[in-house]
Amino acid sequence: MKLAEFEKFVGEEPAISYVGIRGDEEREGYVSTKPNIQAIFPFRKNIWSLDVINKFLNDDNIQLVSKIYKTLSNDDILNKALDILKTPLSKHFYYSKKMNSLLELDVKLFNKAVFMFLKTTDYPVGKLDNFPLIDNEDVLGITEIYNILEDSGVGIPAYYKEIEFEVDGKKGTYSRSRSGCYFCFFQQKIEWIWLYEQHPDLFQKAMEFEKDGYTWNQNKSLADLIKTERIRQIKLDAIKRQEMKAKKSSNSLLVDMFADDSDAFCANCFI
């Protein structure tokens, strides 16, 4: 269900929108701005949306949040938590840094404190007697999500599975990174090449949309994109990015499947 449809469905009733952004993704996603709809991120270490965090950690609420921590935490953590809370927000100690400092102390404690804080607001979660996710410490990245899909029998969508290609003696892989939508506005160039080579009929359908000066790819038509030398360069560029990404992630177990040379995201994929 798209966000607009969800908003219409719930009307003015309090509702919780669970957003499936993974724990290894650095983004917030597209969430509702309606006051009766609250976004929750169950896969992340921080399950709360930015608006909640900004209110919870606002300097104006230091006394209230400190009081909440005093009712929830033991002496070992309390003093550290109070030191963090009482440190004013600044360009050196901004919201996310303050939040991460509290999460590193105790995730469950942080979630319980936010939950109690929300009871002083009109947020939907604050109207609940209990909220099981505040006791959750699981952070689900791409590896965990893939494991869930495989273990459930659903499996990973075929368009996510990488296919090897070779150009100028160098090998790389391509696949889809966001969705199986053949005319996705936010495809990488290498994904258009994947579509052209793996599903030429769908690529042709996408080309049919390009008329009256409209193009999918920053004023470059799909016809230009699939010229032999252009394909070669796009593949070489993709291989170079993959090599750089492999070096960067060599010390990490999590690889962000949405890494790209673009910061744009399509709302249809992330609601």
Side-chain angles (χ1 to χ4, degrees), residues 86-191:
K86 292 177 181 178
T87 302
L89 292 165
S90 67
K91 65 179 181 180
H92 301 296
F93 197 62
Y94 36 88
Y95 282 101
S96 61
K97 192 168 184 178
K98 195 167 192 175
M99 175 192 72
N100 287 329
S101 297
L102 291 169
L103 282 169
E104 287 171 8
L105 275 182
D106 192 311
V107 174
K108 289 184 181 181
L109 176 60
F110 179 79
N111 287 336
K112 289 177 180 177
V114 175
F115 181 58
M116 286 189 66
F117 172 79
L118 289 177
K119 289 187 172 297
T120 69
T121 73
D122 290 327
Y123 278 94
V125 169
K127 300 180 186 300
L128 301 175
D129 293 329
N130 59 75
F131 189 52
L133 271 179
I134 63 176
D135 289 318
N136 178 59
E137 291 182 300
D138 295 333
V139 178
L140 303 183
I142 186 172
T143 302
E144 290 77 16
I145 298 298
Y146 275 4
N147 288 339
I148 290 172
L149 290 172
E150 294 288 11
D151 293 344
S152 68
V154 173
I156 300 169
Y159 53 78
Y160 283 152
K161 295 183 178 179
E162 295 182 339
I163 298 173
E164 188 177 88
F165 65 79
E166 184 174 344
V167 59
D168 291 359
K170 299 180 179 181
K171 292 183 178 181
T173 60
Y174 58 20
S175 64
R176 298 302 293 270
S177 64
R178 294 180 172 86
S179 78
C181 178
Y182 72 89
F183 56 85
C184 176
F185 288 88
F186 300 104
Q187 290 184 74
Q188 303 170 46
K189 294 182 182 69
I190 190 62
E191 292 180 77

Side-chain angles (χ1 to χ4, degrees), residues 19-247:
V19 184
I21 290 179
R22 305 189 317 271
D24 58 336
E25 295 184 78
E26 295 295 331
R27 61 189 182 88
E28 279 296 299
Y30 189 68
V31 299
S32 176
T33 56
K34 286 183 171 290
N36 62 306
I37 300 176
Q38 181 175 357
I40 293 292
F41 301 80
F43 299 158
R44 304 188 320 190
K45 188 174 185 179
N46 168 41
I47 65 175
W48 313 104
S49 55
L50 276 178
D51 55 320
V52 169
I53 295 300
N54 288 349
K55 286 184 174 66
F56 180 72
L57 296 179
N58 190 284
D59 286 344
D60 292 339
N61 292 320
I62 289 177
Q63 287 188 338
L64 173 59
V65 175
S66 296
K67 183 177 179 181
I68 291 172
Y69 260 85
K70 289 177 182 178
T71 65
L72 294 173
S73 58
N74 56 46
D75 292 338
D76 292 336
I77 293 179
L78 180 58
N79 290 333
K80 294 179 181 178
L82 293 179
D83 285 342
I84 295 170
L85 289 169
K86 292 177 181 178
T87 302
L89 292 165
S90 67
K91 65 179 181 180
H92 301 296
F93 197 62
Y94 36 88
Y95 282 101
S96 61
K97 192 168 184 178
K98 195 167 192 175
M99 175 192 72
N100 287 329
S101 297
L102 291 169
L103 282 169
E104 287 171 8
L105 275 182
D106 192 311
V107 174
K108 289 184 181 181
L109 176 60
F110 179 79
N111 287 336
K112 289 177 180 177
V114 175
F115 181 58
M116 286 189 66
F117 172 79
L118 289 177
K119 289 187 172 297
T120 69
T121 73
D122 290 327
Y123 278 94
V125 169
K127 300 180 186 300
L128 301 175
D129 293 329
N130 59 75
F131 189 52
L133 271 179
I134 63 176
D135 289 318
N136 178 59
E137 291 182 300
D138 295 333
V139 178
L140 303 183
I142 186 172
T143 302
E144 290 77 16
I145 298 298
Y146 275 4
N147 288 339
I148 290 172
L149 290 172
E150 294 288 11
D151 293 344
S152 68
V154 173
I156 300 169
Y159 53 78
Y160 283 152
K161 295 183 178 179
E162 295 182 339
I163 298 173
E164 188 177 88
F165 65 79
E166 184 174 344
V167 59
D168 291 359
K170 299 180 179 181
K171 292 183 178 181
T173 60
Y174 58 20
S175 64
R176 298 302 293 270
S177 64
R178 294 180 172 86
S179 78
C181 178
Y182 72 89
F183 56 85
C184 176
F185 288 88
F186 300 104
Q187 290 184 74
Q188 303 170 46
K189 294 182 182 69
I190 190 62
E191 292 180 77
W192 280 114
I193 302 305
W194 171 92
L195 185 68
Y196 171 67
E197 295 184 343
Q198 301 301 321
H199 301 278
D201 55 330
L202 295 179
F203 187 89
Q204 183 62 41
K205 283 186 177 182
M207 288 184 68
E208 292 172 3
F209 284 100
E210 292 192 325
K211 55 187 177 181
D212 299 327
Y214 174 83
T215 63
W216 291 110
N217 195 49
Q218 297 177 341
N219 298 321
K220 297 288 185 180
S221 71
L222 294 181
D224 290 333
L225 203 67
I226 58 174
K227 291 179 179 178
T228 302
E229 185 56 32
R230 188 79 175 112
I231 290 177
R232 173 181 170 273
Q233 189 58 54
I234 290 171
K235 286 185 173 181
L236 287 173
D237 290 343
I239 291 171
K240 184 177 180 180
R241 287 197 303 272
Q242 289 168 13
E243 290 174 345
M244 292 175 63
K245 183 178 178 181
K247 290 180 180 178

Side-chain angles (χ1 to χ4, degrees), residues 249-265:
S249 63
S250 61
N251 296 322
S252 174
L253 296 178
L254 296 176
V255 179
D256 187 357
M257 65 184 285
F258 295 109
D260 189 8
D261 50 4
S262 169
D263 292 327
F265 293 99

